[in-house]
Amino acid sequence: MVREWDPRTASSAEIASLVDTLNAVLAADLPQDPPWRESSLREYLAEVMPGERRISWVAKAEPTADGSEAPILGHVHVLLLGDIGVLEVLVHPSVRRTGLGRELVLTAARRVYQEGFQSIGVEVVGDTPAIAFYESLGFSREYVETRSVLDLSGVDRAELAEMATGVAAGYHLEFCPGGPPDELIEAYARAKAEVRDVEDGELRPSSYDPQRLRDSLDCLRRRGMKPYIVLALHEQTGEVAGLTEVVVPAQHPTRADQYDTIVVQDHRGYGIDRAIKARMLMELRSAEPQLAEVQTWNAQTNEAMLKVNAELGYRPDREWCEYGIDVAELVHRLDAGR
Ligand SMILES: CC(C)(COP(=O)(O)OP(=O)(O)OC[C@H]1O[C@@H](n2cnc3c(N)ncnc32)[C@H](O)[C@@H]1OP(=O)(O)O)[C@@H](O)C(=O)NCCC(=O)NCCS
């Protein structure tokens, strides 16, 4: 039974049940990933950037004879932004291959179509059943990145300290827990606007103007995700020459997510990438003592960044693929198959 679902008003039992299903999915598909916690999960699912909307549905088993709440066995949400709907679907491993995944995608796709959006995108993890699933629905692969994971216990502190100071004269590094200080927001946004050499996939929003950047940081914080930034400042001009962003999510605080790393074109070749990332890892060890790993996503063509990440100790883990499809085509295809 699939029904629309609002995480804001969901019962605590439903939130707990969704975490159980998510963790069963992770155990089946990504057993090395840390399980998720309930902390701020409601906010994680409910909060969006201004101008965006997220619509969710859940699938529950039939009500139990003793009247207790039936568990959530499937979940889908779609984030509507620009002209695209970004989909996320989960089906509990105990009920897979019964058509529930297809039904959840059809439910969300119909709404995306009715709302007038053009296409649907989804991030799909390599080497999991989701690849065959989306390909069977007609989605095509548009982009592939590699996820790499760094195990902090294997990182040599002395080496890190050396890398962090290995930046050319004329720059200094600044650690900014919580995000860039307000007086640097404009310079920060300029650095992001100038360079698109980002580590992230296209489905993750990047913010290039100051207001959008503030909104994006507010949204992150509301979702229970703590941003940390290291800046390389060019002393002569005060400009932001480089930046790296890591987010520690309340939902899995032992594994942080690397977001953008940018070195502005004129400031390349001075050791900034390596130094800002090394400084970040040093700072995170004291700021987030529970942190055990950091994960990052890179385009497979981004050789310079891959090299620095390998030096820091990142190990390639999975392919992370973006798939897409035209909504009208998907709805037609799924309706025809019913
Ligand atoms: C992908 C997923 C949603 C599929 O759910 P499902 O309910 O099993 O899918 P369906 O039963 O609707 O399958 C539809 C079609 O997809 C294809 N498919 C699904 N799973 C498949 C598998 N393991 N192998 C091959 N084909 C598969 C088949 O063509 C299937 O049709 P069929 O059963 O008639 O042959 C589910 O495996 C899942 O939740 N995966 C985790 C997704 C995720 O986001 N993970 C993120 C953290 S890892």
Side-chain angles (χ1 to χ4, degrees):
M1 191 174 45
V2 175
R3 66 167 174 81
E4 197 168 330
W5 184 75
D6 185 349
R8 285 182 190 80
T9 53
S11 69
S12 315
E14 282 182 316
I15 296 286
S17 174
L18 182 58
V19 173
D20 287 346
T21 291
L22 172 61
N23 286 333
V25 164
L26 286 172
D29 293 350
L30 283 173
Q32 309 298 324
D33 277 40
W36 279 44
R37 306 176 183 180
E38 269 179 57
S39 359
S40 301
L41 188 73
R42 193 188 290 281
E43 293 75 13
Y44 177 85
L45 294 168
E47 295 292 340
V48 289
M49 289 274 284
E52 295 176 0
R53 273 185 301 151
R54 187 185 289 110
I55 312 174
S56 310
W57 295 262
V58 291
K60 286 191 173 187
E62 294 304 320
T64 49
D66 65 2
S68 60
E69 191 144 9
I72 290 178
L73 296 173
H75 176 246
V76 57
H77 63 231
V78 64
L79 181 67
L80 300 172
L81 66 158
D83 66 350
I84 184 174
V86 180
L87 197 66
E88 279 192 48
V89 184
L90 287 179
V91 172
H92 195 287
S94 65
V95 293
R96 287 185 181 173
R97 296 307 286 271
T98 62
L100 180 54
R102 196 188 282 120
E103 188 184 345
L104 289 167
V105 170
L106 178 58
T107 305
R110 280 210 182 105
R111 176 65 74 83
V112 175
Y113 182 65
Q114 282 163 11
E115 300 272 353
F117 287 76
Q118 272 269 297
S119 53
I120 287 190
V122 61
E123 282 191 3
V124 187
V125 185
D127 210 14
T128 70
I131 296 276
F133 172 71
Y134 287 106
E135 288 183 355
S136 81
L137 300 183
F139 282 70
S140 26
R141 188 180 286 211
E142 292 172 347
Y143 191 68
V144 185
E145 291 188 310
T146 301
R147 181 180 75 168
S148 304
V149 179
L150 173 68
D151 175 358
L152 287 171
S153 68
V155 173
D156 183 318
R157 276 168 194 253
E159 242 174 68
L160 217 50
E162 202 181 313
M163 286 187 197
T165 50
V167 63
Y171 296 97
H172 80 265
L173 306 192
E174 213 165 292
F175 174 58
C176 312
D182 211 53
E183 67 274 15
L184 284 175
I185 283 268
E186 304 228 339
Y188 193 89
R190 268 198 301 279
K192 290 231 225 214
E194 191 181 323
V195 183
R196 305 284 156 109
D197 189 8
V198 294
E199 289 206 19
D200 264 337
E202 281 169 14
L203 296 182
R204 281 158 209 270
S206 268
S207 303
Y208 302 122
D209 78 82
Q211 193 47 47
R212 181 122 183 114
L213 189 57
R214 283 192 188 96
D215 290 344
S216 160
L217 286 160
D218 284 348
C219 179
L220 265 183
R221 294 183 193 112
R222 290 197 308 272
R223 297 180 79 202
M225 300 154 92
K226 225 189 289 175
Y228 288 94
I229 284 160
V230 172
L231 298 175
L233 293 167
H234 185 228
E235 287 165 358
Q236 207 182 339
T237 58
E239 281 298 303
V240 170
L243 60 95
T244 189
E245 308 168 330
V246 168
V247 168
V248 179
Q251 300 81 19
H252 52 89
T254 60
R255 185 184 282 196
D257 297 322
Q258 171 80 55
Y259 279 36
D260 288 355
T261 297
I262 289 169
V263 179
V264 174
Q265 194 73 40
D266 286 353
H267 303 284
R268 292 190 180 175
Y270 298 104
I272 292 178
D273 181 15
R274 183 183 292 104
I276 54 181
K277 282 182 175 162
R279 172 74 182 269
M280 174 67 88
L281 296 176
M282 288 172 63
E283 298 284 0
L284 285 174
R285 290 194 110 144
S286 19
E288 297 281 343
Q290 81 298 336
L291 194 65
E293 298 167 311
V294 182
Q295 55 187 357
T296 187
W297 289 262
N298 293 99
Q300 292 171 342
T301 50
N302 196 343
E303 283 168 23
M305 251 181 211
L306 289 170
K307 184 167 170 282
V308 168
N309 287 349
E311 282 172 30
L312 288 163
Y314 280 92
R315 297 284 163 260
D317 169 50
R318 296 274 179 145
E319 282 195 335
W320 223 261
C321 314
E322 286 176 18
Y323 277 77
I325 194 167
D326 178 79
V327 184
E329 183 193 327
L330 176 63
V331 171
H332 179 73
R333 189 185 181 109
L334 286 171
D335 275 335
R338 278 161 82 84

